[in-house]
Amino acid sequence: ELKVEQNPLFLSMQEGKNYTIYCNYSTTSDRLYWYRQDPGKSLESLFVLLSNGAVKQEGRLMASLDTKARLSTLHITAAVHDLSATYFCAVDMEYGNKLVFGAGTILRVKS
Amino acid sequence: NAGVMQNPRHLVRRRGQEARLRCSPMKGHSHVYWYRQLPEEGLKFMVYLQKENIIDESGMPKERFSAEFPKEGPSILRIQQVVRGDSAAYFCASSPTRYNEQFFGPGTRLTVL
């Protein structure tokens, strides 16, 4: 059974600092997604990572994928308060059949 | 181009009642997925449907839960005889084919009193 583990589960950061969220998964996968969720809201797609070595950047967020290590990272650069949200990684195990989500990382950026 | 639509957005039921959650996929999407998010947890897959067919229901509880996606109309997730443990946010996602990215709706937040 595919397991997806995120860490940390809770992250309190000061504005302007850098940090990384990690996402490990237990079996081979076709693709990996990162989502953002604000309280009471739906999921906003941030990144889709399709292949080993993939790196994507949008603003202060950068995501990477290492399929050999079964690891994805979401790096936050110079955090700002607006980045406060819950971040999920999700793995597409059976090529479009279903997504398996990590537990989520609650990010709080303090000014 | 409207996104995935779900209704109602909030639903309150008493224990023992039935809950019906509806999902209208994006235009041109014939694949629908249902996920459940319990408080303070990640989303858990429930069921994957294509028009008139259930493709994968491995995440559905064995009793009280059912899903359909008829030829015409929205996909329905039905929960019979609800219990307090059913309180959660239920998200629907859709995709144009099995191999495309899933797009999520706003969710239905079910509260069982």
Side-chain angles (χ1 to χ4, degrees):
Chain A
E1 180 187 339
L2 174 64
K3 292 192 189 315
V4 179
E5 293 185 349
Q6 278 182 246
N7 70 84
L9 298 183
F10 182 78
L11 178 56
S12 181
M13 297 177 63
Q14 290 289 134
E15 274 194 330
K17 298 291 187 183
N18 304 334
Y19 209 83
T20 300
I21 299 171
Y22 298 89
C23 175
N24 289 91
Y25 53 98
S26 58
T27 67
T28 55
S29 165
D30 298 304
R31 58 181 96 177
L32 188 139
Y33 298 84
W34 283 97
Y35 293 94
R36 168 181 172 145
Q37 186 181 38
D38 291 291
K41 303 293 185 183
S42 187
L43 280 75
E44 174 190 353
S45 178
L46 295 174
F47 300 108
V48 181
L49 302 171
L50 300 177
S51 60
N52 188 42
V55 177
K56 291 193 175 181
Q57 183 162 5
E58 181 72 35
R60 300 175 187 274
L61 300 177
M62 183 175 71
S64 66
L65 178 62
D66 180 344
T67 57
K68 293 179 182 177
R70 296 178 187 164
L71 170 69
S72 179
T73 60
L74 180 67
H75 187 73
I76 303 151
T77 302
V80 293
H81 181 71
D82 286 352
L83 289 179
S84 296
T86 300
Y87 293 84
F88 292 98
C89 65
V91 174
D92 187 338
M93 185 177 75
E94 297 179 30
Y95 204 20
N97 200 37
K98 61 187 176 188
L99 298 177
V100 179
F101 283 80
T105 297
I106 300 173
L107 173 65
R108 293 289 175 262
V109 181
K110 298 183 291 187
S111 48
Chain B
N1 185 15
V4 179
M5 300 179 69
Q6 290 187 248
N7 66 82
R9 297 289 304 276
H10 299 273
L11 181 62
V12 179
R13 285 286 178 266
R14 297 192 180 279
R15 282 179 294 171
Q17 292 185 319
E18 179 179 289
R20 281 185 181 239
L21 288 62
R22 286 177 290 277
C23 168
S24 296
M26 289 177 70
K27 187 176 181 180
H29 289 197
S30 59
H31 297 249
V32 165
Y33 311 78
W34 286 93
Y35 295 83
R36 177 166 67 174
Q37 184 178 32
L38 295 170
E40 310 301 327
E41 292 187 14
L43 280 72
K44 297 282 196 298
F45 168 80
M46 299 182 75
V47 62
Y48 163 35
L49 310 102
Q50 194 181 356
K51 280 287 187 182
E52 299 185 275
N53 291 305
I54 296 175
I55 307 300
D56 182 347
E57 57 182 347
S58 58
M60 287 279 270
K62 294 288 185 282
E63 297 178 347
R64 302 186 298 107
F65 284 72
S66 62
E68 63 176 8
F69 189 16
K71 187 176 179 181
E72 302 291 337
S75 176
I76 306 285
L77 179 68
R78 181 182 177 205
I79 311 171
Q80 295 178 289
Q81 299 176 323
V82 296
V83 301
R84 288 221 173 102
D86 297 333
S87 294
Y90 292 82
F91 290 96
C92 165
S94 74
S95 65
T97 73
R98 176 172 177 160
Y99 306 105
N100 285 93
E101 180 179 359
Q102 298 175 24
F103 294 86
F104 283 83
T108 293
R109 280 149 183 88
L110 171 66
T111 302
V112 179
L113 301 177

